[in-house]
Structure formats: structure tokens, C-alpha cells
Amino acid sequence: MKRPDWYTSGQGHIWLPYTQMRTARPALPVVAASGTRLTLADGRELVDGISSWWSTVHGYRHPHIEEALRGQLEVLPHVMLGGLAHEQAYVLAERLAKLLPGNLNHVFFSDSGSVAVEVAMKMAAQFWLNQGQRRVKFLCFRGGYHGDTFATMSVCDPDEGMHSLFKGALLEQVVVDLPRNAADEAALGEVLDRHRGDLAGIIVEPLVQGAGGMVFHDPFTLQALRRLADAHDLLLIFDEIFVGLGRLGEAMFACEIADVQPDIVTLSKALTGGTLPLAATIASARIYDGFLSDDPMSALMHGPTYMGNAMGCAAANASLDLFEREPRLEQARAIGKQLETLLAPARYLPGVRDVRVRGAIGVIQLDGPAPADRLSAACIKRGVWLRPFRDVLYTTPPLVTGEDEIVRIGNAMVDAVRELSAENRA
Ligand SMILES: *Cc1c(COP(=O)(O)O)cnc(C)c1O
């Protein structure tokens, strides 16, 4: 492929995410994107099967979001949120509070998912500190992923995750398996008894553990965690950065699907429809009230420079308009139905451990680590952009992806795995 000049001259200077810069396949130069399609420098078009890391739910360059961004750019692209107020952030805070169930009414903005989780952890710890209790640790789960910064790394899976290297340097948390039945719940209750007084809360990715391998669990797990949190006076944090905002199809948020009221929720990825970085940590009235006092030191001690960025909030407001006006949840459910049929044949291929679908998430899990470059190349050959990790080849397409394109994605996944198992046997 002929590469553009900016690519050749910049490539010795750019440092890419989770990439062995010495041996990795060169990144594909993208020169434009529209709807579900990426246009490469050589003119090829790929269907984006993973929505740019699960974010572009309405597709690229949706005219409604673009119009909102253009309008905001001309009025007020950014202003600090310390001591100054602007319309987009206030409107978005109210809309998110109304959209989330129960009394999750208080919205703290930041600029990335990891920071939103950092804020949630700090909120939980300071909630107890404000009451004179030093409870700063968390219960978290094997297979979990909550971000790349130091505090969030500490609540990721300590062995399987991308951060095992840093083990000794991280805060020590209490890591257990997700409780999946009554016996697990009782056993976890005993663990919590042993840690009485140390723990601020429980943090979990509700219903789907994403970056940990696209592993699903039932509402029972979350209901059990709510019962345990209540019984042990712990705060329950739902990290909905991946699953929140329609991905699961049944409702906007996993907490609604599971019918569980968390104390704190984090959102990011799809919040701006994949256009600008923005994140939110949303707390219940009880948590928020725990910061109200005459003591300035009881205030939440956090404040990112770009928090509540007006362009980001304008994009998020426009994205929420689209969820209201267009049938995104139905689309997510329809994609799921289609993927179930399309991916089913992979179940019988050698080297395949499991095939599973939940909402607009389709997963082929292999017996061992996925040869990411080979699988990805096989999909690119079929006009589809996918990026396998760990032992899974998965798709999380934009929710606006048409039926034909879902067929293309599903078939590319099955064919890529079939090709791989044929090569492995040869
Ligand atoms: C992606 C992700 C994060 C981290 O978000 P960044 O914006 O990449 O920092 C945290 N939690 C979950 C569940 C995620 O999927």
C-alpha cells in the first residue's frame, strides 16, 4: 500500500497504544470516515465492526452531531467549569440524571473513562473519609477492566489483564470471582466479613466484562452484589463505560436491565457518539449529600482542566437527541438477533471454545490466545475492520449498521476463524 507523506514522516515519532512498535503490523492510514465506513489512504473502504473502541454508536459524521458541534464552535468551544457555568454542561447533567434510574442525580464530568473511574473511586473513598472512616480499598473481580491509570489498574484483573507487570506498584485491592449463584454469594459474604472496615465499595462492569474478554453474567450477579453491599455497608459502583448507552439493546443502561440501583455509575465511550473525549461519574443523592457541609475540605477533591468541555457536552446532548429520536435500542436488538444466526456456524469449527451474543456484541472465543494480526488481516481482506484481543474475535458495530453490513461482519468473522483453523491443521 502506498502510504501518505504524513504517515511516513510521522511514523518514527508516534507511539501507539498497546503496540509492540518493533514488530507490529503497520497501522492502516484512515483519511475519512462516514456512517459505518472507514476510507483508507489507498481508497479501500472498511466497515468498522468495532465502532472505534465501542464509541461511534450513531456511525461517523452523523449530521445532527456535526451541526451541534459547528454551532457550539462558533459560540463557546470551551470554558473552565471552576466558578463558571455553561449551558451544554448543565443541560447534559440534567438529561443524564433524568435518564438514569432512581436518584442517580449528580453528575461530575471528566475527559476519559479511566478518569471517570478514578473519580468514582475517589468519591467512594472520600464519602467515608468525610464521615471519619478510613475505608479506601475496593472489592473487584477477576476478568474486570476499568482503565489504564494507576488507581484503575489496581481494580483490573491482576493476572489476566494488561497490567500484571505493575503488580507491586499498585494499590492492593480485594479481587474475587464474580458470584454466579447462592453459594458464591454466601462465600463472598464471608470474604467481606474479613475485610470489614477496610472497603469503601464494590466496583463491577455490569452484565459484560469487556476488555477482560467479553464475558457475560446474569442479573443475579448484580443483585447479589447489591445485597452484599447493603449487608456490609459498601458502595456499589457500576462501570457502564462499555455497556451503558444502548449497547445491550434491552435498555439504555445495564443497571436498568438488572433492576439494580448502584450508588455510582461511570459513563464514557459512547457518550459523545464517538466524536470527542468526555466522561461522567454519576452519584446518588446519598453520596452527593455526604459531601455537603460547612467544611471546604469535605468538597470532592477533583477537577480536570477540561471537565465539562462545551464541545464534548454539545456532542453528548446531540447524541442523546439521537437516542430519543431514532430507534437505537431496537437496532441493537436486531443486530444481536442477526449476529446469533451469523456466528452460530463458528461454534463447530475446530479451535473455537464458545460463541456468544448479547445485545449488539458478538463474540467468537477461541481455545487459546487469538493470533490478532492474522485474524485482523483476514477480516480486512473481507472489507471489515476488527481488532481481536486475548482469546476473542468480537464485533461491537455502530448501532446504525445495516443488515447487509452485519452480514458482511458476521461472515468475515466466521470465515476468518475457519481460515485460521484450516491453516493450523495444514
Ligand atoms: C474503556 C473502558 C474504560 C477506560 O476508558 P478510557 O476512556 O479508555 O480511559 C473503563 N472502564 C471500562 C468498562 C471500559 O470499557
Side-chain angles (χ1 to χ4, degrees), residues 55-77:
S55 66
T56 52
V57 281
H58 314 292
Y60 294 92
R61 303 206 53 199
H62 193 290
H64 181 65
I65 299 182
E66 292 215 331
E67 191 185 308
L69 284 176
R70 264 189 233 106
Q72 192 61 37
L73 181 63
E74 289 182 2
V75 178
L76 180 71

Side-chain angles (χ1 to χ4, degrees), residues 326-389:
E326 299 181 6
R328 289 289 176 270
L329 297 183
E330 276 168 45
Q331 289 170 317
R333 292 197 295 272
I335 288 171
K337 264 213 178 109
Q338 239 193 311
L339 285 173
E340 286 201 8
T341 314
L342 289 163
L343 300 185
R347 205 175 285 282
Y348 306 103
L349 294 174
V352 172
R353 173 143 177 212
D354 188 32
V355 173
R356 54 183 176 267
V357 173
R358 174 140 213 182
I361 305 168
V363 184
I364 302 178
Q365 182 183 7
L366 306 179
D367 279 336
D373 282 352
R374 276 161 73 195
L375 283 171
S376 178
C379 294
I380 290 166
K381 211 166 68 187
R382 293 166 173 86
V384 176
W385 169 241
L386 292 172
R387 189 174 150 93
F389 66 93

Side-chain angles (χ1 to χ4, degrees), residues 107-130:
V107 183
F108 190 95
F109 288 116
S110 57
D111 28 36
S112 78
S114 298
V115 174
V117 174
E118 292 263 347
V119 171
M121 293 171 73
K122 193 188 270 189
M123 233 177 222
Q126 201 187 336
F127 173 81
W128 297 115
L129 289 169
N130 282 354

Side-chain angles (χ1 to χ4, degrees), residues 384-416:
V384 176
W385 169 241
L386 292 172
R387 189 174 150 93
F389 66 93
R390 304 165 62 100
D391 57 352
V392 294
L393 176 62
Y394 75 96
T395 180
T396 49
L399 303 181
V400 296
T401 309
E403 274 183 37
D404 292 357
E405 290 174 323
I406 296 295
V407 170
R408 197 201 285 194
I409 293 169
N411 287 345
M413 289 171 71
V414 175
D415 290 346

